[in-house]
Amino acid sequence: MTDYKPIDCSVHDRLEHFAVRRTPVTVRFAQADGTERERDGQINDLYARDGAEYLRMDDGTEVRLDHLREVRRT
């Protein structure tokens, strides 16, 4: 069992919109140790694995969706 907490559907829809349109974004997220990171790029994929949902950016960064803090256009 995972401790994943599903994100709001409207947020998921917005992420899909950015991915389909290849919109440049800045993604701010929490890492496992609690520190926050930012990545600039494009969202290449949204997918589920082991009971959690993730996004993959064009630089290969993978972020669990419930660890997202902010996603904004750049």
Side-chain angles (χ1 to χ4, degrees):
M1 193 71 177
T2 179
D3 62 344
Y4 179 74
K5 294 174 182 57
I7 65 169
D8 188 88
C9 289
S10 65
V11 174
H12 198 279
D13 289 347
R14 185 170 174 236
L15 295 173
E16 285 180 335
H17 175 84
F18 288 153
V20 168
R21 296 189 182 271
R22 314 270 311 144
T23 303
V25 293
T26 298
V27 175
R28 187 168 52 92
F29 57 95
Q31 299 187 117
D33 65 2
T35 60
E36 291 191 359
R37 301 284 307 251
E38 277 193 1
R39 290 283 189 264
D40 294 326
Q42 295 175 332
I43 299 171
N44 277 359
D45 194 15
L46 296 167
Y47 60 95
R49 180 181 72 220
D50 300 326
E53 294 178 290
Y54 295 82
L55 67 77
R56 181 178 301 115
M57 297 191 66
D58 57 345
D59 68 356
T61 299
E62 294 181 329
V63 180
R64 206 169 95 161
L65 296 189
D66 62 343
H67 291 177
L68 289 173
R69 299 297 179 253
E70 180 182 20
V71 178
R72 66 182 183 278
R73 290 182 195 186
T74 54

